């Protein structure tokens, strides 16, 4: 079993329960880990035998464009897309972080992490 990680994809998006968050938007970081058998790819040196991280990046950017109230909902949509489009994915972990969330206090970011095995 191996793992491909696409770490800290930077996106500006419009998520949140407050109207201001959905109008103004904010910065986000998304990390996706995809677990798969990478043995064939390690021997073949062929992109078709591994997880295409360009596709993972594209999925994240597309899903982050869809406004949601909760980061949990966004993370779940990303996981669903990974399982639908990456047949070799056996397990996926998605972390969505809102940088400088609009809460009282000095908070760098809030992160929601979901982890699922292929159904």
């Amino acid at each position: 079993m191996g793992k491909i990680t696409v770490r800290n994809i930077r996106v500006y998006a419009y998520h949140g329960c407050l109207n201001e968050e959905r109008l103004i938007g904010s910065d986000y970081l998304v990390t996706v880990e995809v677990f798969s058998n990478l043995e064939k790819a390690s021997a073949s040196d062929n992109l078709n035998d591994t997880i295409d991280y360009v596709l993972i990046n594209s999925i994240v950017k597309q899903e982050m464009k869809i406004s949601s109230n909760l980061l949990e909902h966004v993370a779940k949509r990303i996981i669903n897309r990974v399982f639908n489009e990456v047949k070799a994915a056996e397990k996926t972990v998605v972390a969505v972080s809102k940088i400088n969330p609009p809460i009282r206090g000095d908070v760098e970011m809030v992160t929601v992490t979901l982890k699922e095995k292929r159904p």
Side-chain angles (χ1 to χ4, degrees):
M1 175 79 64
K3 175 176 74 169
I4 302 285
T5 302
V6 185
R7 188 177 317 280
N8 291 335
I9 301 166
R10 295 180 187 275
V11 182
Y12 196 86
Y14 302 86
H15 305 297
C17 293
L18 302 174
N19 286 335
E20 294 81 21
E21 292 178 290
R22 295 176 80 128
L23 290 173
I24 298 169
S26 59
D27 291 305
Y28 293 83
L29 294 174
V30 181
T31 295
V32 179
E33 297 175 303
V34 182
F35 295 79
S36 181
N37 183 340
L38 300 177
E39 193 172 317
K40 185 175 180 183
S42 67
S44 72
D45 197 28
N46 187 326
L47 178 60
N48 294 323
D49 295 332
T50 192
I51 306 298
D52 183 354
Y53 50 80
V54 173
L55 174 61
I56 300 301
N57 184 57
S58 177
I59 288 170
V60 167
K61 288 186 174 184
Q62 289 170 23
E63 291 302 322
M64 289 297 289
K65 285 182 182 178
I66 302 168
S67 184
S68 295
N69 289 327
L70 301 177
L71 300 181
E72 293 88 331
H73 187 70
V74 180
K76 177 63 173 159
R77 286 199 324 262
I78 293 168
I79 287 173
N80 290 344
R81 287 275 308 273
V82 169
F83 284 139
N84 285 335
E85 297 180 33
V86 182
K87 300 304 178 200
E90 297 175 21
K91 176 178 154 186
T92 302
V93 179
V94 174
V96 180
S97 301
K98 180 181 282 192
I99 301 171
N100 297 319
I103 59 178
R104 293 182 184 171
D106 184 12
V107 178
E108 180 182 358
M109 71 179 78
V110 173
T111 304
V112 169
T113 304
L114 295 182
K115 177 182 354 179
E116 288 191 26
K117 290 183 179 179
R118 179 174 288 283

